[in-house]
C-alpha cells in the first residue's frame, strides 16, 4: 500500500476501508465519463471507497451525493412529462476523478 | 461434481462461446466435462458442430440419451429449470452429473438472475464474461446487488472480444484490469474467425488454427484449472481433480 494511502486511512480511522491500487489511471482523464461514474457506484467497489473518495473531494462533493432528493425526482409528476427539468449547475458537476487522482500525486 | 457458472451482466458478449471453449479446452486436458445450456436461445450446441435443429437431451435424461461431441456431454436445462420440482431434483442429485471427477459447465442467460443466484450457491467458480464496451461496463454494477462486485465470493471475470486497435477498448481493458486485479483471470482477443467458424458449424481450432483467440482461450482454461485446484497427476499424462474449494 502506498504511504499516502496508508496515511489517509490512518487519518480517517477507517481501517476497514477497501484499498485498491489503480495503476493505469490514464483512462480516467481521457474523457470517458463512464469510468468515473462506475468508480462512484457503491455497487461496484463498495460504499467505503466511495466515502473515501468523497472525503478527498471535499465538502462540495459530499453535499453533491448526500443532500436532498434528486431535483428530477422531487419535481411534480406532470412536470416530468412537459418541460425538461434541469438540475442546478452546481449539481450537474460530475465526480472529479481527475482531482482525486491528482491529489495522490501531489501528496507524494 | 464441480459446477462452473458462466454468465454476464449483459447479453451478446460471447458467454456461450466461452462456455463452449472452456468445455473443449478442459476436456482436451483430460477432464470429464458436461456442458449445460440453460438459455432459451439453445445455441451452445452450435459451438460443438451441431445445427440449430439438433435436439439436445434435457438434464436428468438417462445417460443412454447422451449427446456427446469432442468428449463433452451436452445437455439442455432451460425447460427443466422452470419446472416446479427443479430444485428438489437438483438437490437430490438427479439432474447434474454426480461424481468427484465430473466437471459441469453451465451457460446462463444474463437476465436469468434468479437461476444465477440459486445456482451460485452450489458452484465452485462463477465466471462473468465482459467485453470492453461501454454498454457492457455500464451493466457491471448490476452484479453487485447484495455485495460490491469486487467482493463477490468465488467470482472471477474474463474480458472477451478485445481489439487493441480501438482507443476505448484499450482504456476499458486497463480499467477492468485495475478494477478486478487477480479477479480478471483471462483476456480474449477478438477475431472474426470465431463468428465465421460458428457459421460453418466448426470449432475455431479447426477453422482457424492460427487464430489469435486460441492461445488466449488455452490460457483461460489453465487459469480456471488453477482457480479450482485442478492439478496434473505426474506421470499419468492426465489431469485429476484436487481438493475442491
Amino acid at each position: 500500500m502506498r504511504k499516502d494511502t496508508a496515511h489517509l486511512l490512518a487519518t480517517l480511522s477507517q481501517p476497514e476501508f477497501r484499498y485498491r491500487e489503480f495503476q493505469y489511471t490514464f483512462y480516467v482523464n481521457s474523457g470517458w465519463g463512464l469510468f468515473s461514474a462506475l468508480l462512484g457506484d457503491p455497487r461496484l467497489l463498495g460504499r467505503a471507497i466511495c466515502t473515501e473518495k468523497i472525503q478527498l473531494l471535499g465538502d462540495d462533493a459530499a453535499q453533491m451525493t448526500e443532500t436532498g432528493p434528486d431535483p428530477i425526482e422531487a419535481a411534480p409528476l406532470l412536470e416530468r412529462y412537459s418541460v425538461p427539468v434541469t438540475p442546478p449547475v452546481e449539481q450537474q458537476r460530475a465526480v472529479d476523478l481527475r482531482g482525486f487522482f491528482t491529489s495522490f500525486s501531489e501528496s507524494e | 461434481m464441480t459446477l462452473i457458472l458462466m454468465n454476464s451482466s449483459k447479453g451478446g458478449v460471447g458467454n456461450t462461446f466461452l462456455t463452449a471453449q472452456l468445455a473443449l479446452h478442459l476436456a482436451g486436458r483430460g477432464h470429464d466435462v458436461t456442458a449445460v445450456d440453460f438459455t432459451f436461445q439453445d445455441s451452445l450446441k452450435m459451438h460443438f458442430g451441431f445445427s440449430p435443429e439438433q435436439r439436445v437431451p434435457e438434464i436428468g435424461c438417462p445417460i443412454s440419451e447422451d449427446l456427446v461431441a469432442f468428449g463433452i456431454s451436452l445437455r439442455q436445462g432451460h425447460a427443466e429449470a422452470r419446472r416446479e420440482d427443479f430444485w428438489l431434483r437438483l438437490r437430490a442429485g438427479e439432474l447434474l452429473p454426480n461424481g468427484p471427477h465430473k466437471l459441469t459447465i453451465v451457460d446462463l442467460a444474463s437476465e436469468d438472475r434468479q437461476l444465477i443466484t440459486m445456482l451460485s450457491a452450489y458452484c465452485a467458480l462463477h465466471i462473468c464474461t465482459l467485453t470492453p464496451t461501454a454498454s457492457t461496463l455500464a451493466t457491471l454494477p448490476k452484479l453487485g446487488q447484495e455485495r460490491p462486485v469486487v467482493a463477490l465470493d468465488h467470482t472471477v471475470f474474463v474480458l472477451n472480444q478485445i481489439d487493441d486497435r480501438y482507443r476505448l477498448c484499450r482504456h476499458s481493458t486497463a480499467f477492468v484490469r485495475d478494477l478486478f486485479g487477480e479477479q480478471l483471470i483471462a483476456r480474449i482477443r477478438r477475431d472474426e474467425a470465431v463468428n465465421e467458424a460458428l457459421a460453418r458449424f466448426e470449432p475455431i481450432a479447426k477453422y482457424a488454427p492460427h487464430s489469435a483467440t486460441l492461445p488466449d482461450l488455452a490460457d483461460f482454461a489453465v487459469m480456471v484449472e488453477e482457480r479450482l485446484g485442478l492439478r496434473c497427476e505426474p506421470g499419468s499424462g492426465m489431469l485429476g481433480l484436487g481438493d475442491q474449494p
Side-chain angles (χ1 to χ4, degrees):
Chain A
M1 185 182 296
R2 284 166 44 153
K3 278 196 299 185
D4 54 351
T5 309
H7 176 69
L8 171 68
L9 296 182
T11 304
L12 294 174
S13 302
Q14 297 286 350
E16 74 276 13
F17 275 179
R18 192 170 293 108
Y19 173 78
R20 188 171 294 268
E21 184 130 5
F22 285 75
Q23 295 179 327
Y24 307 98
T25 54
F26 57 86
Y27 48 76
V28 175
N29 297 326
S30 300
W32 314 117
L34 176 63
F35 301 133
S36 302
L38 287 171
L39 290 172
D41 192 322
R43 293 173 296 173
L44 199 58
L45 284 162
R47 197 164 293 282
I49 196 160
C50 293
T51 310
E52 174 191 354
K53 185 174 64 183
I54 288 167
Q55 294 277 355
L56 281 165
L57 292 173
D59 293 339
D60 288 348
Q63 281 179 2
M64 189 169 66
T65 55
E66 291 175 2
T67 58
D70 185 319
I72 294 177
E73 287 297 316
L77 180 64
L78 291 178
E79 244 181 75
R80 295 181 219 166
Y81 295 94
S82 53
V83 182
V85 180
T86 308
V89 173
E90 297 80 30
Q91 301 201 23
Q92 285 183 327
R93 287 172 47 197
V95 176
D96 181 12
L97 262 290
R98 183 194 297 264
F100 167 58
F101 289 112
T102 304
S103 66
F104 277 126
S105 310
E106 288 174 348
S107 61
E108 281 191 322
Chain B
M1 191 267 291
T2 301
L3 182 63
I4 303 172
L5 300 190
M6 295 281 303
N7 87 291
S8 175
S9 54
K10 181 185 175 301
V13 297
N15 191 66
T16 299
F17 166 69
L18 291 185
T19 302
Q21 289 299 322
L22 182 59
L24 286 164
H25 279 82
L26 290 177
R29 293 171 66 81
H31 298 293
D32 185 350
V33 179
T34 298
V36 184
D37 188 345
F38 271 104
T39 72
F40 176 72
Q41 287 79 7
D42 189 23
S43 61
L44 181 65
K45 61 192 175 193
M46 288 178 63
H47 295 271
F48 296 92
F50 295 107
S51 62
E53 71 267 20
Q54 172 68 48
R55 184 188 161 278
V56 177
E58 291 281 335
I59 49 173
C61 281
I63 198 163
S64 57
E65 296 181 24
D66 242 2
L67 180 66
V68 178
F70 304 99
I72 299 158
S73 174
L74 299 181
R75 293 290 170 135
Q76 168 60 240
H78 181 264
E80 186 68 46
R82 278 142 189 86
R83 294 196 180 116
E84 280 186 8
D85 61 348
F86 173 68
W87 287 104
L88 285 174
R89 295 186 66 199
L90 186 73
R91 286 177 188 158
E94 297 175 18
L95 298 180
L96 297 177
N98 280 317
H101 291 247
K102 299 281 187 182
L103 269 179
T104 300
I105 306 174
V106 167
D107 179 23
L108 291 160
S110 58
E111 75 277 7
D112 210 346
R113 301 310 306 174
Q114 186 181 11
L115 186 59
I116 293 166
T117 302
M118 295 174 93
L119 280 177
S120 63
Y122 297 91
C123 78
L125 193 64
H126 187 172
I127 302 172
C128 292
T129 305
L130 306 174
T131 52
T133 61
S135 56
T136 300
L137 297 182
T139 60
L140 261 178
K142 288 283 187 182
L143 298 170
Q145 298 297 331
E146 294 176 2
R147 301 183 65 184
V149 178
V150 296
L152 291 173
D153 290 332
H154 48 70
T155 299
V156 295
F157 297 85
V158 54
L159 192 58
N160 192 28
Q161 299 178 5
I162 295 173
D163 189 337
D164 281 341
R165 292 175 299 171
Y166 301 106
R167 186 165 164 261
L168 178 57
C169 179
R170 293 194 300 273
H171 291 187
S172 297
T173 302
F175 174 76
V176 170
R177 192 168 46 188
D178 266 354
L179 188 63
F180 293 119
E182 292 184 352
Q183 275 182 288
L184 178 67
I185 61 167
R187 286 174 279 169
I188 315 291
R189 280 168 285 182
R190 188 187 184 285
D191 186 353
E192 182 60 17
V194 169
N195 190 34
E196 293 169 354
L198 190 61
R200 297 171 69 101
F201 302 119
E202 288 180 1
I204 178 74
K206 180 182 177 192
Y207 173 69
H210 302 294
S211 169
T213 305
L214 281 171
D216 297 341
L217 292 167
D219 291 345
F220 172 41
V222 170
M223 287 303 294
V224 170
E225 278 184 332
E226 286 183 10
R227 287 284 175 154
L228 289 173
L230 308 179
R231 57 183 163 72
C232 194
E233 291 176 351
S236 69
M238 295 286 287
L239 294 168
L241 286 168
D243 297 332
Q244 297 303 308

